[in-house]
């Protein structure tokens, strides 16, 4: 094989594994196969934990696990090898190290590492199995919605810190108060503040198992106050996430809309007749159909208004004496 | 009966069953009767499940069920027959097939199908009864608010997918972690990961039955962390739905307002004196009273401003030769 | 007593009981006394239900109850008598009937009616006592925040209807499904669909007492699905209420701000020096301090800009040849 | 030591303890040490409550507590002494009294007071220990996010009052209703209305321990209605807090952005080339990177538009006599 064909191969691998803009039957197949393998792995972990099942099909599980490690290892190496096609000007090792430090690559590594580590240091089998669930995170690469949610969490970091901080303070104080009040009546359940924290968390998050509950009158009054005041705090993260997500999706939509408009205007299409072409652009940009319709209607209206404006600009000269009229 | 009278009858059926714009005493009666029958059916299903009740009134229940099937079957056939009045130009069979594939028609069919199917394949009686609850969905046709909510769910599909996807990942990981930690202390309740998922769901949704709870210290610490972090995710759908619903209702209101304005301006009413006529339009459009008042006040204000503007327009005479300029 | 002094007395009663704009030491005292009496009544109802307490202090409770009824009856009659001062032109009986049909008057009547009814028809004592809690609703008159919340609920009526309608459908369907699945394993807890509804409500609202839980695998899988999907719906009303309340408070603030601005501009105050007068207006309008500061800063800024604009309007005539320059 | 050196020392103490704008290695160390000491104190309280632990390490706990009191007392005195550097013109005692009445100073005092009080009045040991948790509040000084959340709670005070008021009304009414219905079936759990309130709170906040649940059919129907209606109210505070927090963070961001813009324009930097300087300002103001980029892009665009406008300004010559007009 000559140097050139190696490069062609590397380009081929790069396109199918890294390049999001490149779409072919092969790349689609590769993606679906990898997704299926990840889901299969998760299913295997779940089923192996059912003892009767594991005893029955042990060899098959082992074969599937070994196969999975081989494929995931191969995927990692191929990705590492082909990443240099991203910016052909840059030194290969620099790009490879940069990729290895990216979030996706770290997840890919964590997904296969425990299996290899097990050869050197023996890990508790049950724990090892569960570690394989890290492979689930590999799915992030394939789902836009997951990435959006992660970005929202990233952006609202500050709010979350504040809320979790307050929650911790509330849990500590609540647990201490209930410990003082209930310790004598239930020395088992509220034997110490750390022990009472279990009740505090279960109550403030409104889970309320009922395995530990205050029984004294004072304890119940305290519990009632804490619950009413605390419920608001515990439900805050959801509120923050929800409004953040709404914002993010809104902004993303606006960006898509902007892009769509620009493409439309650049091409100078006849908005009312080139339906096929417009539909093609819409799909490429990724806009929902309804929104597209509205944009086009507005563009048409804007066009009409502009034409009218143009016409109205009369009387730039006095039609009687011909002198120029300033506006 | 001549051909014409058949058509008149079909038109009559169409108006009363399909046509939302047609409102007469007959169509109102038909609608209320059908709604009452649906609710009666649901009540019957609920009551039949109470054994003592069913034993006592078995014959009456059977009569009611047979009557219901006859009416619903008749309704379906009449709808199918009369739908061709919608667009008289089009071929009848095309319209009929299109209608059969619509959501409402499918629900109508599902509401009567199990009863007929039972003649051919015997279905478990209890299951058959519960299937009759599909008839409840027939109500969607009569309630705008339900349709709005469904549209919101439809529109926010993307967010819901993301959230449910994350929830599934969290449930799998949570269940696995608690399985590893609690399996030894409670081999019954946490016997496998799928089994532990029950605890994970009950905890992450903050239902917290308390039938299964962690008892080890490590299990409780893990449970506390998971609960605090997870509560936010589980409550997300509600937040998304709420903001989506607010948006949808807002937009609907704006559309109604726009429509109301247009009708008002088209009729050229005297805004301050034709109260009776305005009230009539308001009711037809379906706007709340308060909002209408605000719109009218604004229209009056706009009118005044416009008049002033009109007056201010300079260059009514050419400032150079003094001749009057026609506009 | 002459006719005139009767009218003066009626005016005095009207001012102290009905007129919100009238503020004197007497009216404040009357209000606080009535509020204290209402709270005292509620406290009495709560304490009477504790048996030991009731046995000990029975006579005192009875005296307090009789005194309360007398005062509340007197209040009702005085309100009814004095309402005619509101619009002296109108016929007295018309105004009295209109007032009797208002929400506040109905609550006032319901607060005293059961006690009188008891003379005619003997009511179960325990039930009679609890009925006295209707007096709690008399507080609505004195708290703006309660009125705001009620207005929000009124305005968002449509959304609530939709949500409660969906909730009912979900509860019926959920209860039916779990009944079919769990009935054989737990014939006691899931003996019929209406019985299973208790579990459905407890689960969908995430209360999760744990007194009834599914035990079969199928039941748990169904329960998990229902919970995840249903949690969003059950939490909707809170989201709608919260966003509605935020809107309402926002609008109220804007109205107050507008009013404040108008008063300020009407009086033509020197914004930077008449601090005492501005503070007086602020209190009267009911604006928070912080917001007032911002409004004043903005008004000052607007003033400055206006002055600059005024100055900039140079060259209305050409300074060289004196001809008028159009802008 | 001369007068001057005393002042220098006081200035040094002021800078390190009070002055937020002053940042040096010493002030950073002091802050981190104090934060660590606070967290250490909280950890000590938690661990002391575990009996085995306390018995083992009693002397160490006592030493740590005495050391903490000394340091916190010293901190309080130094703060009190050095505060006069804030406004050197004002009388020292006035500033000291003003500081003592500030929130931060009160928390500082409450954090050390119980320990001293214990010398005079002996307090129950367990209660005394828990009182030390007040020290946790000293952290507020160091965390912006906490201050923001407190400000939101402060601002939304009105809404919270309304909601808590409604909640109390709902709890009283719910408890009374369930008391009337369930008292006969469960005379223990629902022995009086105050006793029944425990169930009401646990249910309305959706905690749902399950230690007390209705068992009669009527009780369950009532419970179901109450839960469905009440869930919305109980979750309100979270919604209010979440939207308030979102608003506050938004406004804070806008203020930072405004500040950043002003600094940029005051310095007259070349927006496209002085990247290093801009980055320095960005860090100082505390803006996120992404947002900064957008601001700069907009400033550049504005600059361009302004230049075009400048050029377009007509009447640079009198259109009648042609003489140049100075602007």
């Amino acid at each position: 094989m000559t140097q050139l064909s190696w490069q062609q191969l590397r380009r081929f691998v790069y396109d199918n594994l890294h390049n999001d803009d490149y779409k072919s039957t092969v790349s689609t197949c590769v993606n679906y196969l990898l997704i299926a393998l990840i889901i299969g792995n998760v299913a295997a972990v779940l089923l192996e934990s059912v003892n009767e099942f594991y005893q029955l099909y042990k060899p098959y599980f082992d074969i599937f696990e070994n196969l999975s490690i081989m494929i995931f290892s191969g995927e990692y190496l191929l990705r590492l090898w082909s990443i240099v096609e991203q910016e052909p000007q840059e030194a290969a090792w620099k790009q490879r190290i940069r990729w290895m430090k990216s979030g996706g690559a770290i997840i890919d590594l964590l997904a296969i590492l425990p299996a290899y580590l097990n050869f050197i240091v023996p890990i508790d089998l049950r724990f090892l199995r569960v570690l394989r669930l890290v492979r689930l995170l590999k799915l992030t690469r394939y789902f836009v919605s997951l990435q959006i949610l992660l970005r929202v969490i990233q952006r609202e970091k500050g709010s979350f810190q504040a809320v979790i901080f307050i929650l911790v303070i509330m849990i500590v104080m609540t647990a201490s108060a209930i410990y003082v009040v209930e310790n004598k009546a239930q020395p088992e359940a509220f034997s110490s503040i750390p022990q009472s924290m279990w009740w505090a968390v279960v109550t403030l998050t409104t889970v309320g198992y009922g395995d530990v509950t205050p029984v004294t009158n004072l304890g119940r009054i305290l519990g009632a106050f804490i619950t009413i005041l605390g419920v608001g705090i515990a439900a805050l993260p959801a509120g923050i996430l929800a409004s953040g997500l709404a914002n993010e999706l809104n902004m993303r939509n606006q960006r898509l809309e902007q892009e769509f408009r620009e493409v439309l205007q650049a091409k100078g299409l006849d908005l009312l007749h080139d339906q096929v072409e417009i539909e093609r652009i819409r799909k490429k940009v990724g806009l929902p159909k309804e929104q597209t319709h509205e944009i086009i209607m507005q563009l048409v209206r804007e066009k009409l208004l502009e034409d009218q404006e143009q016409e109205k600009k009369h009387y730039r000269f006095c039609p009687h004496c011909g002198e120029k009229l300033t506006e």
Side-chain angles (χ1 to χ4, degrees), chain A:
Chain A
M1 243 176 191
T2 66
Q3 177 67 25
L4 195 81
S5 59
W6 267 118
Q7 257 195 8
Q8 277 175 334
L9 184 63
R10 202 167 67 184
R11 182 78 219 167
F12 177 76
V13 171
Y14 174 80
D15 279 341
N16 284 309
L17 282 178
H18 284 292
N19 197 345
D20 284 343
D21 296 333
Y22 175 86
K23 288 226 163 89
S24 70
T25 328
V26 176
S27 76
T28 311
C29 279
V30 167
N31 279 345
Y32 278 115
L33 265 175
L34 286 173
I35 292 174
L37 192 65
I38 294 169
I39 292 172
N41 262 270
V42 173
V45 173
L46 298 191
L47 291 177
E48 278 179 48
S49 78
V50 185
N51 222 19
E52 310 90 80
F53 231 83
Y54 185 55
Q55 300 302 340
L56 241 77
Y57 303 106
K58 199 170 179 302
Y60 302 101
F61 280 125
D62 289 349
I63 291 170
F64 182 64
E65 167 62 9
N66 289 334
L67 192 76
S68 299
I69 291 180
M70 273 164 56
I71 295 176
F72 287 139
S73 304
E75 183 203 354
Y76 186 81
L77 292 177
L78 284 174
R79 278 184 194 273
L80 185 63
W81 174 57
S82 67
I83 187 66
V84 295
E85 290 290 327
Q86 194 166 37
E87 279 165 71
Q89 279 77 19
E90 216 179 357
W93 63 272
K94 265 193 189 171
Q95 289 190 65
R96 290 207 171 107
I97 284 179
R98 195 170 354 98
W99 178 76
M100 283 177 78
K101 289 194 289 188
S102 72
I106 290 173
I107 289 175
D108 282 356
L109 191 63
L110 285 176
I112 48 171
L113 213 62
Y116 288 111
L117 225 70
N118 197 27
F119 287 124
I120 312 165
V121 196
I123 313 174
D124 172 66
L125 190 70
R126 196 179 291 144
F127 189 61
L128 183 68
R129 269 194 228 140
V130 167
L131 275 187
R132 272 149 59 192
L133 285 176
V134 174
R135 291 171 195 169
L136 200 49
L137 296 180
K138 282 167 76 91
L139 284 180
T140 323
R141 185 178 282 131
Y142 305 104
F143 291 92
V144 181
S145 53
L146 262 183
Q147 288 158 21
I148 290 175
L149 202 70
L150 289 179
R151 212 174 316 138
V152 172
I153 293 173
Q154 170 88 29
R155 184 172 301 172
E156 304 282 342
K157 220 166 38 189
S159 314
F160 284 118
Q161 269 174 14
V163 171
I164 286 177
F165 192 60
I166 304 245
L167 253 181
V168 168
I169 291 185
M170 282 193 73
I171 289 170
V172 168
M173 295 213 155
T174 303
S176 306
I178 204 80
Y179 160 72
V180 169
V181 171
E182 285 280 320
N183 174 266
K184 267 175 200 157
Q186 304 185 73
E188 282 285 292
F190 298 97
S191 68
S192 66
I193 297 181
Q195 196 73 28
S196 307
M197 277 173 156
W198 175 243
W199 174 83
V201 170
V202 165
T203 300
L204 285 176
T205 55
T206 77
V207 169
Y209 290 126
D211 52 348
V212 188
T213 52
V215 293
T216 65
N217 280 338
L218 199 61
R220 288 188 163 183
I221 290 170
L222 189 84
F225 268 100
I226 284 163
T227 312
I228 291 174
L229 293 175
V231 161
I233 303 288
L236 255 185
I240 295 168
L241 257 189
S243 72
L245 198 67
N247 262 344
E248 181 72 32
L249 289 173
N250 203 17
M251 274 164 59
R252 188 162 164 275
N253 242 8
Q254 278 179 7
R255 237 176 302 134
L256 289 184
E257 190 177 321
Q258 185 61 30
E259 201 184 319
F260 180 64
R261 261 173 208 274
E262 276 166 14
V263 173
L264 271 195
Q265 281 175 336
K267 297 225 169 178
L269 294 174
D270 184 335
L271 290 167
L272 296 172
H273 299 105
D274 293 340
Q275 296 292 350
V276 183
E277 180 66 11
I278 288 173
E279 183 62 19
R280 216 185 49 73
I281 299 174
R282 187 190 72 72
K283 268 191 193 145
K284 204 180 143 203
V285 171
L287 261 186
K289 213 158 190 173
E290 220 173 289
Q291 208 177 342
T292 315
H293 184 71
E294 275 170 35
I295 295 172
I296 288 171
M297 290 319 292
Q298 206 186 320
L299 283 175
V300 170
R301 237 175 292 135
E302 275 169 21
K303 190 81 191 300
L304 278 175
L305 272 175
E306 213 173 273
D307 290 355
Q308 286 179 0
E309 279 297 302
Q310 207 66 28
E311 225 160 84
K312 266 197 186 159
K313 269 187 187 162
H314 37 231
Y315 287 145
R316 291 172 59 207
F317 297 89
C318 169
H320 301 282
C321 67
E323 285 241 8
K324 192 169 182 207
L325 300 172
T326 53
E327 224 159 299

